[in-house]
Amino acid sequence: MYRKIQATPLRQALPEAVAVVMFDQVKQLPEGYEKLDQQLGGVLTQALKRQEFSASEGSVSALYPAASGRGIPQRVYVAGLGKEEQFTSNALRIAAARVLRAAYAARVKQLGLLVMGGLNERLSAEQAGAAVGDGVAIARFDFDRFRGAAGKKNSSFNGPAIDLKLLIEPPLRASAERALLIGDSVTTARELAATPPNVAHPDYLADYCRKLAQRVGLKCTLIRESQAKRLGMGGLLAVGGGGSRDPVLICLEWPGARTHARRARATKTRSRTRASAAPVLLVGKAVTFDTGGYSLKPPQAMTGMKYDKSGGTAVIGIMEAVARLKLPVPVVGLIPAVENMIDDDAYRVDDIIRFANGVTAEITNTDAEGRLILADALAYGTQRYRPRAVLDFATLTGGVVVALGSFCAGLFCNDGDLRQRIQRAADFTGERVWELPLWHEHRQLIRGTHADLINAGEREAHPIQGAAFLSHFVGSDAPTRLPTIPWAHFDIAGVADARKDTPLYPKGPTGYGVRLTVELLSQWRG
């Protein structure tokens, strides 16, 4: 695959390959492509006249100009955007991704990409550039680390990695470059998610985060088993008790760019900024492998459970991007990492456990483990950091997949302003969300008999039960009422990995939540 992609402005001289985007069933050449078509000897106009020509979403046609000479590209890619009336920014992401794959197959080293600025004002230049960068970054991912002697040639991208100079229209360049940088952190999340459980156990994630923090300027602390006991983290300890490695709560902190830059200044200066230093708290479930525990999963449901850490790996990717972008808002990321295995120390159905905030729960299903480790992380995080807002990410319930499919994450949010911020970020990045309700009545569905709660109830409102359970741990008032801290829970069970190839993603991890959350945090004010 491409080892390095450098985005530079597209000048007058054309590179060895050029890509354009078009809507389907257009009758004439889109405005802005006339000069290019003249340089190419009319190859675009000729293509439009062919009956078989199509610009359906995801299609890529390779054209070969008859004209030759200096500055004439050897090939021209036409990437389809589909029907204009159905256009979304995701169509441009798909187009950019498909073009990149086609260019790599042809070993192209210079690719010029023209998208007519803002696509006839359907997208701003910033949106268009970001979509192009997203698509390129998503497409360059190829997890071949574990391919051996029999599988090297079966890679999605054959041949050794090469560098690519991506030439983009100047108005799009800045947002495309930023998207490529964020895309590196999406790749981090995807690679960690794809790493198998015999490698990516809790200790592996902890060591990875420690090294990442040193590299990008984060603070990393690890809450190991002994400290978790002192802090009363019964959920983390119970789920991780049967694992081959001890559970760990990974804490990554970014103080905000202003505070980061002022650390060497006088205490008086720091004291003036303390009132606005409340961080945004991110929490991500990292069950590095989930057998279901004693509520054992059937074999077909156990395949792919390495992706049960995708909420945690998303938070790791987000924190990397936040530090690399030097965002002004302070952010804390908590990643509770465990294996849910069977052992003589594994927790059982009918066990009663106590969490860090004193709430107790009776275990009715050891396969509803994610909410138990998130509970301790949320309780600890809200007590320790007193955040301005809380976002958590988890592959939490199969019920959300039944309800929403693999098209969006389930969103539970208790704050109107935060909800609007999330929706704007989702619209910009194409990482969709759909809000589900969370009411007081839903909390009654998991009320316990011999403990405060049960960890899983009957099938009624199944995807909401997980959010209802978590709501007891977000802030000091949460045990007795719905949280008052602005809080959003993302159930990403349907979108954390693609079960089969999709127009944008190949089968495997998606890194869902990294792009959305970085956009959300980038726009945060106050």
Side-chain angles (χ1 to χ4, degrees), residues 157-176:
F157 306 98
N158 295 321
I162 57 176
D163 294 340
L164 173 69
K165 182 178 285 187
L166 184 65
L167 293 95
I168 304 174
E169 295 156 281
L172 280 60
R173 182 190 173 194
S175 56

Side-chain angles (χ1 to χ4, degrees), residues 298-365:
Q300 64 272 21
M302 214 178 294
T303 302
M305 280 299 106
K306 66 178 181 178
Y307 296 130
D308 213 19
K309 61 182 180 294
S310 295
T313 60
V315 169
I316 294 170
I318 294 164
M319 295 303 296
E320 178 186 71
V322 164
R324 291 185 66 195
L325 291 168
K326 294 184 170 27
L327 296 187
V329 61
V331 187
V332 173
L334 300 182
I335 303 100
V338 301
E339 290 177 320
N340 188 23
M341 306 285 279
I342 296 174
D343 185 75
D344 56 357
D345 289 329
Y347 76 126
R348 299 150 293 230
V349 172
D350 284 344
D351 282 0
I352 292 178
I353 60 178
R354 184 180 299 273
F355 298 92
N357 66 346
V359 173
T360 62
E362 183 174 357
I363 303 305
T364 55
N365 184 348

Side-chain angles (χ1 to χ4, degrees), residues 260-444:
H260 188 69
R262 292 172 179 171
R263 277 177 171 169
R265 295 187 180 182
T267 303
K268 182 178 179 180
T269 303
R270 289 200 305 270
S271 67
R272 290 202 301 266
T273 66
R274 192 169 295 144
S276 62
V280 176
L281 175 65
L282 311 176
V283 179
K285 170 189 170 185
V287 177
T288 60
F289 193 74
D290 182 17
T291 67
Y294 281 110
S295 302
L296 191 66
K297 294 178 183 289
Q300 64 272 21
M302 214 178 294
T303 302
M305 280 299 106
K306 66 178 181 178
Y307 296 130
D308 213 19
K309 61 182 180 294
S310 295
T313 60
V315 169
I316 294 170
I318 294 164
M319 295 303 296
E320 178 186 71
V322 164
R324 291 185 66 195
L325 291 168
K326 294 184 170 27
L327 296 187
V329 61
V331 187
V332 173
L334 300 182
I335 303 100
V338 301
E339 290 177 320
N340 188 23
M341 306 285 279
I342 296 174
D343 185 75
D344 56 357
D345 289 329
Y347 76 126
R348 299 150 293 230
V349 172
D350 284 344
D351 282 0
I352 292 178
I353 60 178
R354 184 180 299 273
F355 298 92
N357 66 346
V359 173
T360 62
E362 183 174 357
I363 303 305
T364 55
N365 184 348
T366 63
D367 196 23
E369 85 297 331
R371 63 200 68 182
L372 306 181
I373 66 173
L374 289 171
D376 277 329
L378 287 165
Y380 171 78
T382 51
Q383 291 169 3
R384 167 73 175 81
Y385 296 101
R386 301 190 180 278
R388 67 178 78 182
V390 181
L391 288 77
D392 73 78
F393 302 85
T395 48
L396 205 68
T397 69
V400 81
V401 186
V402 174
L404 301 177
S406 58
F407 308 106
C408 63
L411 172 67
F412 302 83
C413 188
N414 68 342
D415 181 82
D417 178 63
L418 179 58
R419 186 183 304 113
Q420 290 178 5
R421 291 171 184 257
I422 290 169
Q423 190 59 62
R424 286 196 296 269
D427 291 342
F428 187 87
T429 61
E431 292 197 311
R432 292 172 171 169
V433 297
W434 191 263
E435 188 175 16
L436 295 169
L438 177 56
W439 300 319
H440 173 74
E441 289 84 352
H442 293 123
R443 285 164 57 113
Q444 303 310 305

Side-chain angles (χ1 to χ4, degrees), residues 4 36 94 213 301 304 363 409 425 444 513:
K4 178 181 177 183
L36 173 66
I94 292 167
I363 303 305
Q444 303 310 305

